[in-house]
Amino acid sequence: MAGVSEKAVIQDANEAALRKFEEGVRRSIRQADKGLVKTFKTKEEFLNHLKNLE
């Protein structure tokens, strides 16, 4: 039955990761609705921003 308990542990970890991801998406949407996030008009503008973060 070791396989069953290992599967349950993996499933629990996956569910926890999914809940964490979903909350991050919800938080991001709330921040975007409040105008608290930076947006970019083009992919190049976004990539330039990432390159200049240091």
Side-chain angles (χ1 to χ4, degrees), residues 13-27:
N14 287 342
E15 289 175 2
L18 178 60
R19 283 192 301 274
K20 185 175 179 179
F21 173 76
E22 289 173 340
E23 179 50 38
V25 170
R26 285 187 203 98
R27 184 175 52 250

Side-chain angles (χ1 to χ4, degrees), residues 11-43:
Q11 185 174 358
D12 288 345
N14 287 342
E15 289 175 2
L18 178 60
R19 283 192 301 274
K20 185 175 179 179
F21 173 76
E22 289 173 340
E23 179 50 38
V25 170
R26 285 187 203 98
R27 184 175 52 250
S28 296
I29 291 170
R30 287 191 302 269
Q31 290 172 339
D33 289 346
K34 292 177 182 178
L36 300 174
V37 295
K38 182 164 179 60
T39 59
F40 304 93
K41 294 185 188 329
T42 65
K43 178 175 75 171

Side-chain angles (χ1 to χ4, degrees), residues 45-54:
E45 185 181 349
F46 172 66
L47 293 175
N48 285 337
H49 171 75
L50 291 179
K51 290 176 186 175
N52 294 319
L53 284 177
E54 295 178 35

